[in-house]
Amino acid sequence: MIACIGAGVIGGGWAAYFLAQGHDVVAWDPGPDAEARLRRIVEAARPALNSLGLPDDGWGSLTVAGSLAAAVQDADFVQESAPEDLELKRSLLADLAAATGPDTIVASSTSGFPMTDMAVRAVDASRLVVGHPFNPPYLIPLVEVVGGEATAPAVVKGAADFYRSIGKSVIEMDHEVPGFVANRLQEALWREALHMVANGDATVEQIDASITEGPGLRWPVHGPCRTFHLAGGEGGMAHMLDHFGPSLQAPWTRLGAPSLTPELRDAMVDGTATDRSFAELVAERDRAVIAIRRAVEDARRG
Amino acid sequence: MIACIGAGVIGGGWAAYFLAQGHDVVAWDPGPDAEARLRRIVEAARPALNSLGLPDDGWGSLTVAGSLAAAVQDADFVQESAPEDLELKRSLLADLAAATGPDTIVASSTSGFPMTDMAVRAVDASRLVVGHPFNPPYLIPLVEVVGGEATAPAVVKGAADFYRSIGKSVIEMDHEVPGFVANRLQEALWREALHMVANGDATVEQIDASITEGPGLRWPVHGPCRTFHLAGGEGGMAHMLDHFGPSLQAPWTRLGAPSLTPELRDAMVDGTATDRSFAELVAERDRAVIAIRRAVEDARRG
């Protein structure tokens, strides 16, 4: 039994995914019409989940509880997806820690608060962990798992194992980073976009088109580091950094670059090293970009 | 007849695309083994282009010239893709402007230099324009077209029209922005990634996975602005900015955010406004993400 605390777009999306993976879900949300809204969100997600190979007959059952205590009393795992308000999260996580048993993991969907900041009111914060999904939680595989100072390492591992067991791609962090990993990258891009609009550099439409028609077509298959590894040709990341390193100092974004020390260079080269050949990676990218372009065209046609 | 000046990864990729679109291409590159390397690049791109519906029997013919002058003498359009070296580009573009006729457009593939800086040695810079592609030029549709101070507006429009005529997605800029549009966004993300590795925040592998398994799956279908428009639910961008605006000041990336003035808020809201309903956009995104995930899985299997 999984408890979903908070049943908006994120909490409801989680509920749909847990149900589709065969788990029973009990949800609670204090808002008006919460149950009707939650059921609409779950039904809206159903066709996508069916089409991912999760047919109705394998789904768990959904119950809506009348109180937080009732929602979590039999829960093996709690996913908290309340609004992004630090005081609210602090109170709610303290209540959840108190209302759950010693073997229950309480994971927060927060998109930005470190657990160390959110757990300050909990009598026992050892079972509190961040399990940060991406919208929509029923389709985007990534979950970032990271504990706070008081989180037990076994709880971080337990949450990561649970998410993996239901098909999620997990980044398991051993230390807190403000904004986590993907959000920091996404936020840097978003802030540059806002600066560009504020400054009249480009329009919103040009910004969106520059990603959907450009680098956005590569990122589902090769992340930013591997993309630049390929940009270096046969010489890979080492050639790319040695050749384009000076352009890091160019005024191409408002974010200043770090100094390209030998240590950073080697970390990037080692991190992108692979046994796979340049030709093999290029072929993979090309197959993927063609299929991604077709996928998007089909999706736009409806 | 199209002249490709410089025949490395970018110039060769352009040549393959022009050929596949039925244009005859004459190439020139001063490097050793340039012709053999160019023909390898074109042949490596051929299966992808065939699979995009551009069969061999519609291709133009490829010639390799012995000199720059011979390459451009009959060219209607010149695509310059020399290495990213400002002095080299300045000399080469001056030579190209001098060697081509009054109706020939000379476009540079530069990924970062403004044409105003590159055109300083050209006697007549009115036909020089930036036509910045993304790797690989034969698969990524985006081309950013922008002139320098001396570029004739008709040349900017002529280049944009030509690229559109061969199936490219064009961003036509009426003013220069350092790094152009997509590169500024990509560079902000890349610099944050370098900072994170340099600081021990995350590994190269975690950074790549955070994009390929996370927000990267949304970006081919909805750019960063529309993505956040959807994150606002039925209330769209207006709700998103009003609700999450304060988190712009959170330390989620090293790039500071602009002040969210009423003018910037309205520009973002107006720019993401659409007649299409929230449900319709969500359905489009979901169809696309599912198909993109399948496309990437298939491409990885080979």
Side-chain angles (χ1 to χ4, degrees), chain B residues 120-178:
Chain B
V120 290
R121 292 198 200 130
V123 173
D124 173 12
S126 67
R127 293 180 288 107
L128 301 180
V129 65
V130 168
H132 169 49
F134 288 78
N135 193 34
Y138 56 88
L139 281 187
I140 304 292
L142 186 66
V143 183
E144 293 195 44
V145 176
V146 56
E149 282 169 15
T151 307
V155 166
V156 175
K157 183 170 185 309
D161 287 346
F162 166 67
Y163 290 127
R164 287 192 194 102
S165 78
I166 57 168
K168 287 293 183 185
S169 296
V170 175
I171 293 185
E172 192 177 338
M173 299 288 287
D174 59 8
H175 62 286
E176 294 181 296
V177 173

Coordinates of all heavy atoms in Angstrom, one line a residue, chain B residues 120-178:
Chain B
V120 N 34.9 42.2 -41.2 CA 35.7 43.4 -41.2 C 36.7 43.6 -42.4 O 37.0 44.7 -42.8 CB 36.5 43.6 -39.9 CG1 35.5 43.9 -38.8 CG2 37.3 42.4 -39.6
R121 N 37.1 42.5 -43.0 CA 38.1 42.6 -44.1 C 37.4 42.6 -45.5 O 38.1 42.7 -46.5 CB 39.2 41.6 -44.0 CG 40.0 41.7 -42.8 CD 41.3 41.0 -42.9 NE 41.9 40.8 -41.6 CZ 42.3 39.7 -41.0 NH1 42.2 38.6 -41.8 NH2 42.7 39.6 -39.8
A122 N 36.2 42.3 -45.5 CA 35.5 42.2 -46.8 C 35.3 43.5 -47.4 O 34.8 44.5 -46.8 CB 34.2 41.5 -46.6
V123 N 35.6 43.7 -48.7 CA 35.4 44.9 -49.4 C 33.9 45.2 -49.5 O 33.4 46.3 -49.3 CB 36.0 44.9 -50.8 CG1 35.6 46.1 -51.6 CG2 37.5 44.8 -50.7
D124 N 33.1 44.2 -49.8 CA 31.6 44.3 -49.8 C 31.1 43.2 -48.9 O 31.1 42.0 -49.3 CB 31.1 44.2 -51.2 CG 29.6 44.1 -51.2 OD1 28.9 44.4 -50.2 OD2 29.0 43.8 -52.3
A125 N 30.6 43.6 -47.7 CA 30.1 42.6 -46.7 C 28.6 42.5 -46.8 O 28.0 41.8 -46.0 CB 30.4 43.1 -45.3
S126 N 28.0 43.1 -47.9 CA 26.5 43.0 -47.9 C 25.9 41.7 -48.2 O 24.8 41.4 -47.8 CB 26.0 44.0 -49.0 OG 26.4 43.6 -50.3
R127 N 26.7 40.8 -48.8 CA 26.2 39.4 -49.1 C 26.7 38.4 -48.1 O 26.5 37.2 -48.3 CB 26.7 39.0 -50.5 CG 26.0 39.9 -51.6 CD 26.5 39.5 -53.0 NE 27.9 39.9 -53.3 CZ 28.9 39.0 -53.3 NH1 28.7 37.7 -53.1 NH2 30.1 39.5 -53.5
L128 N 27.3 38.8 -47.0 CA 27.8 37.9 -45.9 C 26.7 37.8 -44.8 O 26.3 38.8 -44.3 CB 29.1 38.4 -45.4 CG 30.2 38.6 -46.4 CD1 31.5 39.0 -45.6 CD2 30.5 37.2 -47.1
V129 N 26.4 36.5 -44.5 CA 25.4 36.3 -43.5 C 25.7 35.0 -42.7 O 26.4 34.2 -43.2 CB 24.0 36.2 -44.2 CG1 23.9 34.9 -45.0 CG2 22.8 36.2 -43.2
V130 N 25.3 35.0 -41.4 CA 25.4 33.8 -40.7 C 24.3 32.8 -40.9 O 23.1 33.2 -40.9 CB 25.5 34.1 -39.1 CG1 25.4 32.8 -38.3 CG2 26.8 34.8 -38.8
G131 N 24.6 31.5 -41.2 CA 23.6 30.5 -41.3 C 24.1 29.3 -40.4 O 24.8 28.4 -40.9
H132 N 23.8 29.4 -39.2 CA 24.4 28.6 -38.1 C 23.6 27.3 -38.0 O 22.4 27.3 -37.5 CB 24.4 29.3 -36.8 CG 24.8 28.5 -35.6 ND1 25.8 27.6 -35.6 CD2 24.2 28.4 -34.4 CE1 25.8 27.0 -34.4 NE2 24.9 27.5 -33.7
P133 N 24.1 26.1 -38.3 CA 23.4 24.9 -38.2 C 23.7 24.2 -36.8 O 24.5 24.7 -36.0 CB 24.0 24.0 -39.3 CG 25.5 24.4 -39.2 CD 25.5 25.9 -38.9
F134 N 23.2 23.0 -36.6 CA 23.4 22.2 -35.4 C 23.9 20.8 -35.9 O 23.3 20.3 -36.9 CB 22.2 22.2 -34.5 CG 22.0 23.5 -33.9 CD1 21.5 24.6 -34.5 CD2 22.5 23.7 -32.6 CE1 21.4 25.9 -34.0 CE2 22.5 25.0 -32.0 CZ 21.9 26.1 -32.7
N135 N 24.7 20.3 -35.2 CA 25.3 19.0 -35.5 C 24.4 17.8 -35.2 O 23.9 17.7 -34.1 CB 26.6 18.8 -34.7 CG 27.4 17.6 -35.2 OD1 27.5 17.4 -36.4 ND2 28.1 16.9 -34.3
P136 N 24.1 16.9 -36.2 CA 24.6 17.0 -37.5 C 23.7 17.8 -38.5 O 22.4 17.7 -38.3 CB 24.5 15.5 -38.0 CG 23.4 14.9 -37.2 CD 23.4 15.7 -35.9
P137 N 24.3 18.6 -39.3 CA 23.4 19.5 -40.2 C 22.5 18.8 -41.1 O 21.5 19.4 -41.6 CB 24.5 20.2 -41.0 CG 25.8 20.1 -40.3 CD 25.7 18.8 -39.5
Y138 N 22.7 17.5 -41.3 CA 21.8 16.7 -42.2 C 20.6 16.2 -41.4 O 19.7 15.6 -42.0 CB 22.6 15.6 -42.9 CG 23.3 14.6 -42.0 CD1 22.6 13.5 -41.5 CD2 24.6 14.8 -41.7 CE1 23.3 12.6 -40.7 CE2 25.3 13.9 -40.9 CZ 24.6 12.8 -40.4 OH 25.3 11.9 -39.6
L139 N 20.6 16.3 -40.1 CA 19.4 15.8 -39.3 C 18.7 16.8 -38.5 O 17.5 16.7 -38.2 CB 19.9 14.6 -38.4 CG 20.1 13.3 -39.1 CD1 20.4 12.2 -38.0 CD2 18.9 12.9 -39.9
I140 N 19.5 17.7 -37.9 CA 18.8 18.7 -37.0 C 18.3 19.9 -37.9 O 19.1 20.5 -38.6 CB 19.9 19.3 -36.0 CG1 20.5 18.1 -35.2 CG2 19.2 20.3 -35.0 CD1 19.6 17.4 -34.2
P141 N 17.0 20.1 -37.8 CA 16.4 21.1 -38.7 C 16.8 22.6 -38.5 O 16.9 23.4 -39.4 CB 14.9 21.0 -38.5 CG 14.7 19.7 -37.8 CD 16.0 19.4 -37.0
L142 N 17.2 22.9 -37.3 CA 17.4 24.3 -36.9 C 18.6 25.0 -37.7 O 19.7 24.5 -37.7 CB 17.6 24.5 -35.4 CG 17.7 25.9 -34.9 CD1 16.4 26.7 -35.1 CD2 18.2 26.0 -33.5
V143 N 18.3 26.2 -38.3 CA 19.4 27.0 -38.8 C 19.1 28.4 -38.3 O 17.9 28.9 -38.5 CB 19.4 27.1 -40.3 CG1 20.6 27.9 -40.8 CG2 19.6 25.7 -40.9
E144 N 20.0 29.1 -37.6 CA 19.8 30.5 -37.2 C 20.5 31.4 -38.2 O 21.6 31.3 -38.5 CB 20.5 30.7 -35.8 CG 19.7 29.9 -34.7 CD 20.1 30.4 -33.3 OE1 20.1 31.6 -33.1 OE2 20.3 29.5 -32.5
V145 N 19.6 32.3 -38.8 CA 20.1 33.2 -39.8 C 20.1 34.6 -39.2 O 19.1 35.1 -38.7 CB 19.1 33.1 -41.0 CG1 19.6 34.2 -42.1 CG2 19.2 31.7 -41.6
V146 N 21.3 35.2 -39.3 CA 21.4 36.6 -38.8 C 22.5 37.3 -39.6 O 23.6 36.7 -39.9 CB 21.7 36.6 -37.3 CG1 22.9 35.7 -36.9 CG2 21.8 38.0 -36.7
G147 N 22.3 38.6 -39.9 CA 23.3 39.3 -40.6 C 24.2 40.1 -39.7 O 23.9 40.2 -38.5
G148 N 25.2 40.7 -40.3 CA 26.0 41.7 -39.5 C 25.5 43.1 -39.9 O 24.5 43.3 -40.6
E149 N 26.2 44.1 -39.4 CA 25.8 45.5 -39.6 C 25.7 45.8 -41.1 O 24.9 46.6 -41.5 CB 26.7 46.5 -38.9 CG 26.5 46.6 -37.4 CD 27.6 47.3 -36.7 OE1 28.4 48.0 -37.4 OE2 27.6 47.2 -35.4
A150 N 26.6 45.2 -41.9 CA 26.7 45.6 -43.3 C 25.9 44.6 -44.2 O 25.8 44.8 -45.4 CB 28.2 45.6 -43.7
T151 N 25.3 43.6 -43.6 CA 24.5 42.7 -44.4 C 23.3 43.3 -45.0 O 22.5 43.9 -44.2 CB 24.2 41.4 -43.6 OG1 25.4 40.9 -43.0 CG2 23.5 40.3 -44.5
A152 N 23.0 43.1 -46.2 CA 21.7 43.6 -46.8 C 20.6 42.8 -46.3 O 20.6 41.6 -46.2 CB 21.8 43.5 -48.3
P153 N 19.5 43.5 -45.8 CA 18.3 42.8 -45.4 C 17.8 41.7 -46.4 O 17.4 40.6 -46.0 CB 17.3 43.9 -45.1 CG 18.1 45.1 -44.9 CD 19.3 45.0 -45.7
A154 N 17.9 42.0 -47.6 CA 17.5 41.0 -48.6 C 18.3 39.8 -48.6 O 17.8 38.7 -49.0 CB 17.5 41.7 -50.0
V155 N 19.6 39.9 -48.2 CA 20.4 38.7 -48.1 C 20.0 37.8 -46.9 O 20.0 36.6 -47.0 CB 21.9 39.2 -48.0 CG1 22.8 38.0 -47.6 CG2 22.4 39.7 -49.4
V156 N 19.7 38.5 -45.8 CA 19.2 37.7 -44.6 C 17.9 37.0 -45.0 O 17.8 35.7 -44.8 CB 18.9 38.7 -43.4 CG1 18.2 37.9 -42.3 CG2 20.1 39.4 -43.0
K157 N 17.0 37.7 -45.7 CA 15.8 37.0 -46.1 C 16.1 35.9 -47.2 O 15.5 34.9 -47.1 CB 14.8 38.1 -46.7 CG 13.5 37.5 -47.1 CD 12.5 38.6 -47.4 CE 11.1 37.9 -47.7 NZ 11.2 36.8 -48.7
G158 N 17.0 36.2 -48.1 CA 17.3 35.2 -49.1 C 17.9 34.0 -48.6 O 17.5 32.9 -49.0
A159 N 18.8 34.1 -47.6 CA 19.3 32.9 -47.0 C 18.3 32.1 -46.2 O 18.2 30.9 -46.3 CB 20.5 33.3 -46.0
A160 N 17.4 32.9 -45.5 CA 16.3 32.2 -44.7 C 15.4 31.4 -45.7 O 15.0 30.3 -45.4 CB 15.6 33.2 -43.9
D161 N 15.1 32.1 -46.8 CA 14.2 31.5 -47.8 C 14.8 30.2 -48.4 O 14.2 29.2 -48.6 CB 13.8 32.5 -48.9 CG 12.8 33.5 -48.4 OD1 12.2 33.3 -47.3 OD2 12.6 34.5 -49.1
F162 N 16.1 30.3 -48.7 CA 16.8 29.2 -49.3 C 16.8 28.0 -48.3 O 16.4 26.9 -48.7 CB 18.2 29.5 -49.6 CG 19.1 28.3 -49.9 CD1 18.8 27.5 -51.1 CD2 20.1 27.9 -49.1 CE1 19.5 26.4 -51.3 CE2 20.8 26.8 -49.3 CZ 20.5 26.0 -50.4
Y163 N 17.1 28.2 -47.0 CA 17.1 27.1 -46.1 C 15.7 26.5 -45.9 O 15.6 25.3 -45.8 CB 17.7 27.6 -44.7 CG 19.2 27.9 -44.7 CD1 19.6 29.2 -44.2 CD2 20.1 27.0 -45.1 CE1 21.0 29.5 -44.2 CE2 21.5 27.3 -45.1 CZ 21.9 28.5 -44.6 OH 23.2 28.8 -44.5
R164 N 14.7 27.4 -45.9 CA 13.4 26.9 -45.8 C 13.0 26.0 -47.0 O 12.3 25.0 -46.8 CB 12.4 28.0 -45.6 CG 12.4 28.7 -44.3 CD 11.2 29.7 -44.1 NE 11.4 30.5 -42.9 CZ 11.8 31.8 -43.0 NH1 11.9 32.4 -44.2 NH2 12.0 32.5 -41.9
S165 N 13.5 26.4 -48.1 CA 13.2 25.7 -49.4 C 13.8 24.3 -49.4 O 13.3 23.4 -50.1 CB 13.7 26.5 -50.6 OG 15.1 26.3 -50.8
I166 N 14.8 24.1 -48.5 CA 15.3 22.7 -48.4 C 14.9 22.1 -47.1 O 15.6 21.2 -46.6 CB 16.9 22.7 -48.6 CG1 17.6 23.6 -47.6 CG2 17.2 23.1 -50.1 CD1 19.1 23.4 -47.6
G167 N 13.8 22.5 -46.5 CA 13.3 21.8 -45.4 C 13.8 22.1 -44.0 O 13.6 21.4 -43.1
K168 N 14.6 23.2 -43.9 CA 15.1 23.6 -42.6 C 14.1 24.4 -41.8 O 13.3 25.1 -42.4 CB 16.4 24.4 -42.8 CG 17.6 23.6 -43.3 CD 18.0 22.6 -42.3 CE 19.2 21.7 -42.6 NZ 19.5 20.7 -41.6
S169 N 14.3 24.4 -40.5 CA 13.5 25.3 -39.6 C 14.4 26.4 -39.3 O 15.5 26.3 -38.7 CB 13.2 24.5 -38.3 OG 12.3 23.5 -38.5
V170 N 13.9 27.6 -39.7 CA 14.8 28.8 -39.6 C 14.4 29.8 -38.5 O 13.2 30.0 -38.4 CB 14.8 29.5 -41.0 CG1 15.6 30.8 -40.9 CG2 15.3 28.6 -42.1
I171 N 15.3 30.2 -37.8 CA 15.1 31.4 -36.9 C 15.8 32.5 -37.6 O 17.0 32.5 -37.8 CB 15.7 31.1 -35.5 CG1 14.9 30.1 -34.8 CG2 15.6 32.4 -34.7 CD1 15.3 29.8 -33.3
E172 N 15.0 33.5 -38.0 CA 15.5 34.7 -38.8 C 15.6 35.8 -37.8 O 14.6 36.4 -37.4 CB 14.5 34.9 -39.9 CG 15.0 35.9 -41.0 CD 14.0 36.0 -42.1 OE1 13.2 35.2 -42.3 OE2 14.1 37.1 -42.8
M173 N 16.8 36.3 -37.5 CA 17.0 37.3 -36.5 C 17.2 38.7 -37.2 O 17.8 38.7 -38.2 CB 18.3 37.0 -35.7 CG 18.2 35.7 -34.9 SD 17.1 35.8 -33.5 CE 18.1 36.8 -32.4
D174 N 16.6 39.7 -36.5 CA 16.9 41.0 -37.1 C 17.9 41.8 -36.4 O 18.2 43.0 -36.7 CB 15.5 41.8 -37.2 CG 14.9 42.0 -35.8 OD1 15.6 41.6 -34.8 OD2 13.8 42.5 -35.7
H175 N 18.6 41.1 -35.5 CA 19.8 41.8 -34.8 C 20.7 40.7 -34.2 O 20.3 39.6 -34.0 CB 19.3 42.7 -33.6 CG 18.5 41.9 -32.6 ND1 17.2 41.5 -32.7 CD2 18.9 41.5 -31.3 CE1 16.9 40.8 -31.6 NE2 17.9 40.8 -30.8
E176 N 21.9 41.1 -34.0 CA 22.9 40.1 -33.5 C 22.8 39.9 -32.0 O 22.7 40.9 -31.3 CB 24.3 40.6 -33.9 CG 24.5 40.6 -35.4 CD 26.0 41.0 -35.8 OE1 26.3 42.2 -35.5 OE2 26.7 40.2 -36.4
V177 N 23.0 38.7 -31.6 CA 23.0 38.3 -30.2 C 24.2 37.4 -30.0 O 24.3 36.4 -30.7 CB 21.7 37.6 -29.7 CG1 21.8 37.1 -28.3 CG2 20.5 38.5 -29.9
P178 N 25.1 37.7 -29.1 CA 26.3 36.9 -29.0 C 25.9 35.4 -28.7 O 25.2 35.2 -27.8 CB 27.1 37.5 -27.8 CG 26.6 38.9 -27.7 CD 25.2 38.9 -28.2

